[in-house]
Amino acid sequence: GHYGRGFFNRITSCPREEDFTAVSSLPIVRYGLISTASVIAKVVEAMRHSSASTASFRAKCRMVPHAICSRSLEKAREFARKYEIPEEYAVASYREILEMPDIDAVYVPIPTALRKEIVCEAARHGKHVICEKPAASTADDLLEMIAAC
C-alpha cells in the first residue's frame, strides 16, 4: 500500500503495559472547561482516552479535566457528577475557574464572538488556552488574543 506496512503497524498496535507506566509518570495538566456544551463531553472522553494510552505517541503530559463551568450551577454539577470531576470544581462562572490556582489550562468552546474576552483574561491569569476554530471573529481580535497569550 501507499503507506507501507510499518505505518499501519504503528498506528494500530495496542499500548504495552510499560506504556501505561510511562503515562502515569507524565506531568499532569489540569484543564478548566469553560462550558457544558455537547462538544465538552467529547473533549473529556478524548482527554481520558489519550491520557490512558499516549506513551506510544510520545506524549509530554497527561490531560485531566479538573473543573467545569456553566451559567447554570446545577448543569455544571450534573456534568461534574457524570464525568467524575470533583463537585467543588463545578462552578457558575468562568472567572471562578480562572482564579483556581490548580488549573493549568482552559478549554474555551464558546461562540467565536464571545471568546476574545475570556482568552485574554485567561492569559492574564497565567492559564494556557485552547479554543475552537475559528479562534476569533476578526484578524484584529486574533492578534490581540495572541499578544495576550
Side-chain angles (χ1 to χ4, degrees), residues 63-117:
M63 300 178 293
V64 176
H66 197 68
I68 183 76
C69 76
S70 173
R71 290 176 294 199
S72 160
L73 181 56
E74 188 48 45
K75 269 183 126 171
R77 287 180 176 159
E78 181 181 318
F79 188 97
R81 282 189 295 275
K82 183 174 182 178
Y83 292 97
E84 299 174 350
I85 294 171
E87 190 168 334
E88 63 269 21
Y89 288 93
V91 295
S93 165
Y94 74 89
R95 286 188 173 96
E96 290 180 75
I97 286 181
L98 298 181
E99 293 171 4
M100 294 176 180
D102 52 345
I103 296 298
D104 305 303
V106 292
Y107 180 77
V108 187
I110 64 170
T112 306
L114 306 174
R115 197 170 295 144
K116 181 179 84 168
E117 175 186 344

Side-chain angles (χ1 to χ4, degrees), residues 32-75:
L33 308 170
I34 311 293
S35 175
T36 53
S38 60
V39 70
I40 290 293
K42 294 174 185 174
V43 168
V44 168
E45 292 300 322
M47 284 180 176
R48 293 210 167 120
H49 178 73
S50 68
S51 292
S53 62
T54 52
S56 60
F57 297 103
R58 295 183 177 87
K60 303 290 185 212
C61 67
R62 288 177 25 212
M63 300 178 293
V64 176
H66 197 68
I68 183 76
C69 76
S70 173
R71 290 176 294 199
S72 160
L73 181 56
E74 188 48 45
K75 269 183 126 171

Side-chain angles (χ1 to χ4, degrees), residues 100-146:
M100 294 176 180
D102 52 345
I103 296 298
D104 305 303
V106 292
Y107 180 77
V108 187
I110 64 170
T112 306
L114 306 174
R115 197 170 295 144
K116 181 179 84 168
E117 175 186 344
I118 295 174
V119 168
C120 292
E121 193 170 339
R124 284 192 295 276
H125 279 84
K127 308 298 184 194
H128 300 280
V129 178
I130 296 177
C131 58
E132 292 288 312
K133 62 180 184 176
S137 297
T138 67
D140 287 340
D141 283 354
L142 180 60
L143 291 173
E144 189 175 333
M145 291 161 68
I146 291 169

